[in-house]
């Protein structure tokens, strides 16, 4: 049975590494293991001594919000040599460390694989030496290694996302937003270089989410006439009056002869050919830094927990895996496969096999590139030729990312020669005949706009509304509807379908796109807007934590989400809140009483602040204020209780990169599905979702079946599997585990 484990970070640092360390350490301590932290990656492993120190529960407290890695990271030449690795093996043996969790990129994972492969040889050599000197031999066991993908470049096989990539992407997207406002004021063109040595993920994803004019990637063969094409695109943008122009280039992009393309060169080309003012921004290391996003914290936490679980629950002597997240499922892939397949892309690029390289990156990469190319077009590929138009509406409450979904859906339709109208204020616009034609260039620059440009509204249908809607649909020759919104919008579409026998105008295809911060919709794991709301919550909780003053405090923070606990649970997981009250579980008096016990223990053990997140609908009786009063009454004046109701700030704001990209992909999926239906004269009703193989559409009847209408959430919610993880990591130090008795380590403060 596994008793001792060590964790380290190696190679380039990435935001979220601290969350991964915290998860590994706490999960392992909770499982009764002794845990060591290795300072500065393989350098610490080779050095030994003070660099390998025991870690306790509290040592990893308060690090979730910090960028970098508190264990430190380094690149170590010595470890690349056999003698260096033998020294590392000796140091691991000295502490009887049986398993090593390495968080890093392909180099670090390769190092871990080699270490485990050579282990027995080094052990025999060391025991041979011990026999010569009469020292006690080391015990005979094999080191288990588990890798976690830490790379802002997002360049590792075996996971859809690497720890740190989402934060880096958001840095770039924010920079593009900021640059576009100054670019618009000065009529400037910006050339922006993103990180990514062999991988264009950051450049491609930011070009999509940031609305770039042109993108240059390592994975795409440069057209021999790329100068003319790029300058032509910028020139045309200027002619049609687009306010800002942005060329995004990944640092690893090369000429056909393999030499790197420099940003200054791009600037020179644009200036010379167009005589315009061009500025270069190389984003550099800001992409690596800063507090991790909610996505990165939660990804790192899930993977850290999974790494320990795999070691504990599947005892074998040959763990040499990387744990990743593929389609939202924890997946273990052999380290050799991860390294070989990750490096294969770079090898194909060296050989000039761009198509093969893109194939290795996966289908989503190529689809995203296609979408970026569509969106950067100056005019649609086809003239309007289809009879009738598609109506797009946004229903319910405004949400971040709705505009991205509208503009991309509309442009994908226009590109296929289909006319599009925007319905003002959701179904109200259909009743009042308030429809506006949407044209290609009207829709540029919508990606980062908060709320909904075409307007939303909440109301209930009256019986006379249906005839008015049918009349207006006929009048405008509407041949399909894309409805973007929450459950209220889904339910209204269901009402229209019910009335199909009476109103022929409703016999048209309808596509639903999930957009609600509550993330309470069927047929999808994520709704547009939820990631932005989650980040708002996590930022707010981080700020509340900063207010820990002289007194002991309990904060009860009320979170939106209606009858779905997604925001409260994921917010607690990402912010390290001690508790999440969820509508799925409700609140009982016995639970509150148990929580009081835990609170007393927490403050007695030296905690200064405890934060509870309470979903707004978790109990009709035990309200936020009720809980405040109970806790205050029971506090014996040992701590103060405060509440914070985050309210509507959770609904607003500029959408995060994840929401923009999700909105773009879902908008495109809705457009292609409805176009296909129109071509086939089908009146299918489908719901778009992120699930299984990615963004896909399912029959609306399936969505209705999956929904627990009475409870206001899907019958099956994937995120509830994380309740146990959030509880386990946020609780107070479990007592009597071996690691707790060890000395306090002197680790680096976070970078
Ligand atoms: P990343 O993990 O971010 O890809 P590097 O490629 O620099 O970063 O690798 C980090 C460290 O991993 C190196 O400094 C080295 O100590 C170790 N490492 C990388 N490749 C190997 C290898 N082939 N053999 C042994 N150790 C390696």
């Amino acid at each position: 049975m596994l008793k001792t484990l060590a964790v380290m970070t190696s190679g380039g640092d990435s935001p979220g590494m601290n969350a991964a360390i915290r998860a590994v350490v706490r999960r392992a301590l909770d499982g009764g293991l002794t845990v060591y932290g290795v300072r500065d990656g393989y350098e610490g492993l080779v050095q030994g001594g003070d660099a390998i120190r025991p870690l306790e529960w509290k040592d990893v407290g308060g690090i979730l919000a910090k960028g970098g890695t508190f264990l430190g990271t380094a690149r170590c030449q010595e470890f690349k040599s056999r003698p260096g690795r033998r020294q590392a093996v000796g140091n691991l043996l000295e502490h009887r460390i049986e398993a090593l969790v390495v968080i890093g990129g392909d180099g670090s994972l390769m190092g871990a694989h080699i270490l485990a492969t050579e282990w027995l040889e080094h052990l025999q050599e060391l025991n041979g030496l011990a026999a010569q000197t009469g020292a006690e031999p080391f015990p005979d066991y094999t080191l288990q290694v588990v890798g976690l993908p830490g790379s802002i470049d997002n360049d590792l096989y075996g996971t859809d996302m690497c720890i740190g990539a989402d934060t880096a992407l958001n840095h770039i997207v924010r920079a593009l937003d900021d640059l576009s406002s100054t670019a618009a004021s000065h009529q400037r063109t910006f050339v922006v270089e993103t990180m990514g040595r062999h991988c264009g993920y950051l450049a491609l994803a930011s070009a999509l989410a940031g609305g770039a004019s042109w993108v240059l990637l390592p994975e795409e063969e440069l057209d021999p006439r790329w100068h003319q094409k790029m300058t032509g695109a910028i020139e045309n943008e200027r002619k049609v009056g687009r306010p800002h122009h942005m060329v995004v280039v990944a640092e690893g992009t090369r000429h056909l002869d393999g030499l790197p393309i420099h940003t200054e060169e791009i600037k020179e080309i644009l200036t010379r050919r167009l005589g315009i003012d061009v500025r270069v921004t190389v984003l550099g290391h800001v992409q690596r830094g800063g507090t991790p996003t909610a996505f990165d914290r939660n990804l790192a936490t899930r993977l850290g927990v999974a790494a320990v679980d795999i070691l504990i629950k599947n005892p074998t002597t040959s763990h040499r895996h990387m744990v990743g997240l593929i389609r939202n499922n924890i997946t273990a892939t052999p380290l050799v496969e991860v390294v070989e397949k990750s490096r294969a892309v770079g090898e194909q690029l060296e050989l000039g096999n761009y198509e093969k390289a893109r194939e290795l990156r996966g289908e989503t990469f190529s689809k995203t590139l296609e979408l970026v190319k569509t969106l950067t077009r100056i005019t649609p590929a086809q003239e309007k030729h289809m009879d009738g138009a598609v109506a797009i509406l946004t229903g319910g409450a405004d949400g971040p990312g709705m505009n991205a979904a509208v503009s991309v859906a509309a442009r994908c339709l226009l590109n296929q020669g289909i006319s599009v109208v925007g319905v003002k204020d959701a179904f109200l616009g259909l009743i009042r005949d308030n429809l506006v034609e949407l044209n290609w260039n009207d829709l540029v620059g919508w990606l980062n706009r908060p709320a909904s440009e075409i307007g939303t509204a909440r109301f209930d249908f009256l019986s006379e509304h249906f005839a008015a809607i049918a009349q207006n649909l006929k009048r405008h020759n509407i041949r399909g509807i894309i409805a973007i919104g929450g459950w209220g919008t889904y339910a209204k579409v269901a009402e229209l379908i019910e009335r199909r026998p009476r109103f022929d105008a409703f016999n048209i295809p309808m596509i639903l796109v999930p957009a609600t911060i509550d993330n309470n919709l069927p047929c999808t794991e994520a709704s547009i807007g939820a990631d932005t709301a989650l980040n708002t919550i996590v930022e707010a909780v981080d700020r509340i934590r900063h207010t820990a003053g002289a007194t002991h405090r309990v904060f009860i923070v009320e979170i939106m989400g209606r009858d779905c606990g997604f925001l409260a649970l994921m917010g607690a997981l990402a912010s390290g809140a001690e508790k999440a009250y969820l509508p799925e579980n409700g609140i009982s008096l016995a639970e509150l009483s148990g929580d009081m016990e835990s609170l007393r223990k927490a403050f007695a053990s030296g905690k200064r602040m405890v934060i509870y997140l309470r979903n707004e609908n978790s109990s009709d009786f035990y309200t936020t204020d009720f809980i405040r009063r109970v806790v205050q009454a029971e506090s014996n004046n040992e701590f103060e209780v405060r509440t914070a109701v985050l309210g509507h700030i959770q609904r607003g704001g500029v959408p995060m990169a994840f929401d923009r990209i999700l909105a773009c992909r879902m908008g495109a999926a809705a457009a292609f599905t409805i176009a296909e239906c129109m071509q086939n004269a089908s009146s299918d009703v489908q719901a778009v979702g992120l699930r299984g193989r990615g963004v896909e559409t399912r029959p609306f009847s399936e969505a209705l079946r999956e929904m627990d209408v009475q409870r206001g959430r899907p019958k099956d919610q994937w995120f509830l599997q994380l309740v146990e993880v959030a509880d386990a990591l946020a609780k107070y130090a479990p007592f009597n585990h071996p690691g707790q008795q060890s000395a306090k380590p002197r680790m680096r403060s976070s970078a």
Side-chain angles (χ1 to χ4, degrees):
M1 209 182 79
L2 184 68
K3 289 202 195 81
T4 310
L5 170 148
V7 58
M8 59 182 252
T9 46
S10 165
D13 66 323
S14 62
M17 280 183 161
N18 277 329
I21 299 168
R22 173 180 176 269
V24 170
V25 170
R26 291 197 169 173
R27 189 61 153 194
L29 290 174
D30 210 21
L33 305 187
T34 300
V35 185
Y36 287 87
V38 182
R39 205 171 58 203
D40 299 336
Y42 291 116
E43 210 167 282
L45 215 54
V46 173
Q47 257 175 33
D50 251 13
I52 305 175
R53 304 285 307 243
L55 285 177
E56 299 174 21
W57 194 269
K58 285 182 195 158
D59 296 325
V60 290
I63 63 170
L64 264 178
K66 293 183 179 167
T69 153
F70 96 114
L71 285 174
T73 180
R75 297 202 155 94
C76 172
Q77 275 309 318
E78 228 179 323
F79 189 78
K80 288 193 171 171
S81 71
R82 220 174 169 281
R85 290 194 292 273
R86 193 173 75 178
Q87 217 166 307
V89 171
N91 288 327
L92 288 163
L93 283 165
E94 203 156 292
H95 295 287
R96 304 290 187 267
I97 293 166
E98 297 151 299
L100 179 65
V101 177
V102 177
I103 309 160
D106 64 338
S108 306
L109 302 185
M110 186 63 194
H113 172 73
I114 294 173
L115 182 70
T117 315
E118 293 177 351
W119 179 268
L120 284 178
E121 294 166 28
H122 290 304
L123 174 68
Q124 276 163 11
E125 282 172 31
L126 289 166
N127 276 344
L129 288 174
Q132 283 170 22
T133 57
E136 197 162 319
F138 290 116
D140 191 0
Y141 66 87
T142 309
L143 181 77
Q144 316 280 314
V145 289
V146 177
L148 296 186
S151 157
I152 64 159
D153 292 353
N154 208 27
D155 56 354
L156 288 177
Y157 176 83
T159 192
D160 288 341
M161 286 295 277
C162 293
I163 297 165
D166 184 65
T167 307
L169 179 60
N170 276 289
H171 277 304
I172 302 168
V173 168
R174 256 195 312 270
L176 291 177
D177 285 356
D178 294 346
L179 290 173
S180 55
S181 56
T182 159
S185 314
H186 289 273
Q187 277 283 311
R188 269 184 193 138
T189 299
F190 274 92
V191 178
V192 180
E193 184 186 288
T194 68
M195 281 189 164
R197 280 170 298 173
H198 305 292
C199 180
Y201 169 81
L202 287 177
L204 180 61
S206 62
L208 179 63
S213 322
W214 201 256
V215 63
L216 293 163
L217 307 171
E219 291 90 344
E220 202 185 24
E221 182 172 8
L222 269 195
D223 188 295
R225 294 165 65 82
W226 71 276
H227 288 205
Q228 289 95 319
K229 290 196 165 175
M230 179 184 66
T231 44
I234 304 289
E235 194 174 17
N236 284 333
E237 277 200 341
R238 291 170 73 87
K239 275 190 197 148
V240 296
R242 285 200 191 158
H244 44 74
H245 320 283
M246 213 78 73
V247 175
V248 175
V249 50
E251 63 175 339
T253 310
R254 302 203 195 174
H255 285 285
L256 285 172
D257 59 9
L259 291 174
I261 290 188
H262 297 292
T263 42
E264 286 299 331
E265 186 184 341
I266 300 170
K267 172 184 170 172
E268 162 77 18
I269 292 164
L270 290 168
T271 315
R272 197 160 26 85
R273 287 184 174 250
L274 299 177
I276 55 174
D277 188 7
V278 182
R279 300 293 160 105
V280 167
T281 301
V282 178
L283 292 175
H285 280 70
V286 291
Q287 293 162 88
R288 270 196 195 288
T291 183
T293 56
F295 182 93
D296 271 332
R297 296 185 200 187
N298 286 344
L299 172 71
T301 300
R302 289 175 72 184
L303 295 182
V305 165
V308 177
D309 285 353
I310 257 187
L311 286 163
I312 294 179
K313 291 179 188 163
N314 306 302
T316 133
T317 52
S318 55
H319 274 305
R320 284 171 211 171
H321 290 98
M322 185 196 81
V323 178
L325 200 67
I326 300 179
R327 304 291 185 218
N328 207 17
N329 285 315
I330 299 285
T331 311
T333 311
L335 284 171
V336 215
E337 198 181 334
V338 170
V339 175
E340 275 175 6
K341 293 203 168 143
S342 303
R343 292 184 174 174
V345 183
E347 286 158 15
Q348 292 300 328
L349 290 176
E350 283 296 333
L351 296 169
N353 297 334
Y354 297 93
E355 212 171 302
K356 182 78 191 153
R358 282 200 301 279
E359 211 179 289
L360 291 169
R361 285 262 179 261
E363 199 190 358
T364 307
F365 192 91
S366 296
K367 276 189 176 170
T368 308
L369 184 55
E370 275 311 302
L371 190 54
V372 170
K373 287 186 176 174
T374 301
L375 299 180
T376 52
R377 292 185 66 89
I378 216 71
T379 50
Q382 298 181 43
E383 296 274 323
K384 285 178 193 165
H385 65 269
M386 293 269 276
D387 188 26
V390 169
I392 302 183
L393 62 84
T394 51
D398 277 296
M402 277 183 163
N403 286 322
V406 173
S407 83
V408 172
R411 287 205 270 163
C412 287
L413 287 165
L414 290 167
N415 206 43
Q416 296 173 81
I418 301 171
S419 302
V420 185
V421 292
V423 183
K424 285 277 184 193
D425 303 329
F427 294 94
L428 220 51
L430 280 183
I431 297 165
R432 294 180 180 161
D433 194 16
N434 198 355
L435 277 64
V436 282
E437 185 161 7
L438 297 176
N439 288 311
W440 193 261
N441 282 316
D442 306 336
L443 294 156
V444 174
W446 281 35
L447 292 177
N448 59 1
R449 294 190 196 168
S452 170
E453 291 285 314
I454 53 175
T456 59
R458 271 196 186 131
F459 74 102
D460 292 325
F461 282 141
L462 299 175
S463 56
E464 64 265 28
H465 286 156
F466 298 105
I469 292 175
Q471 207 174 37
N472 289 327
L473 289 176
K474 285 275 181 212
R475 176 178 301 136
H476 294 277
N477 197 10
I478 301 297
R479 298 296 180 92
I481 296 176
I482 295 177
I484 301 163
W487 181 246
T489 305
Y490 281 50
K492 285 207 173 50
V493 166
E495 286 191 68
L496 295 184
I497 297 165
E498 251 175 55
R499 284 161 182 83
R500 276 181 164 180
R502 270 193 65 200
F503 300 103
D504 186 42
F506 298 164
N507 284 307
I508 53 174
M510 299 185 200
I511 312 292
L512 285 138
V513 178
T516 163
I517 65 159
D518 302 334
N519 205 25
N520 61 349
L521 292 174
C523 286
T524 192
E525 284 162 2
S527 299
I528 298 163
D531 183 62
T532 306
L534 190 56
N535 278 285
T536 305
I537 292 162
V538 170
E539 197 186 325
V541 176
D542 285 352
R543 282 177 190 226
I544 288 172
R545 273 200 198 286
H546 296 156
T547 68
T551 47
H552 291 144
R553 282 217 175 122
V554 179
F555 264 96
I556 300 156
V557 184
E558 189 176 296
I559 302 293
M560 280 183 165
R562 296 194 208 173
D563 295 315
C564 171
F566 176 83
L567 289 177
L569 179 67
M570 299 306 266
L573 198 64
S575 65
E578 278 72 11
K579 171 109 199 177
Y581 294 109
L582 309 180
E584 287 83 357
N585 301 336
I587 306 175
S588 70
L589 201 53
E591 188 183 7
L592 284 179
S593 173
D595 292 341
M596 283 309 307
E597 262 321 291
S598 306
L599 264 184
R600 284 198 196 93
K601 271 192 202 152
F603 288 121
S605 74
K607 242 183 182 320
R608 306 201 65 78
M609 179 175 278
V610 170
I611 298 184
Y612 290 170
L613 302 193
R614 180 187 173 279
N615 158 285
E616 59 187 352
N617 288 2
S618 43
S619 166
D620 288 343
F621 308 103
Y622 301 125
T623 60
T624 301
D625 191 55
F626 178 89
I627 298 175
R628 177 188 67 77
R629 284 185 283 136
V630 168
V631 177
Q632 191 67 76
E634 297 290 319
S635 70
N636 296 333
N637 290 330
E638 284 162 19
F639 45 84
E640 288 177 0
V641 192
R642 298 276 189 275
T643 55
V645 179
L646 297 187
H648 278 70
I649 59 162
Q650 295 163 90
R651 289 211 179 283
V654 171
M656 296 290 286
F658 182 94
D659 278 333
R660 296 190 203 186
I661 290 171
L662 187 65
C664 289
R665 290 170 60 197
M666 287 184 164
F672 290 118
T673 309
I674 212 159
E676 207 179 309
C677 289
M678 286 163 77
Q679 253 147 22
N680 301 333
S682 136
S683 55
D684 264 9
V685 183
Q686 301 197 33
V688 180
L690 176 70
R691 203 162 69 171
R693 297 192 320 117
V695 170
E696 56 182 20
T697 54
R698 299 279 179 107
F700 188 52
S701 52
E702 206 175 308
L704 294 176
R705 268 200 310 277
E706 281 188 14
M707 190 73 180
D708 184 337
V709 177
Q710 225 156 30
R711 292 205 164 88
R713 55 183 177 250
K715 288 172 189 154
D716 196 13
Q717 300 187 102
W718 68 271
F719 63 86
L720 291 177
Q721 60 182 285
L722 298 175
V723 169
E724 179 268 330
V725 172
D727 282 351
L729 298 190
K731 68 183 176 194
Y732 320 110
F735 300 98
N736 306 325
H737 60 73
Q740 252 212 332
Q741 289 142 23
S742 51
K744 185 160 170 50
R746 276 177 288 120
M747 289 299 172
R748 278 193 171 176
S749 61
S750 67

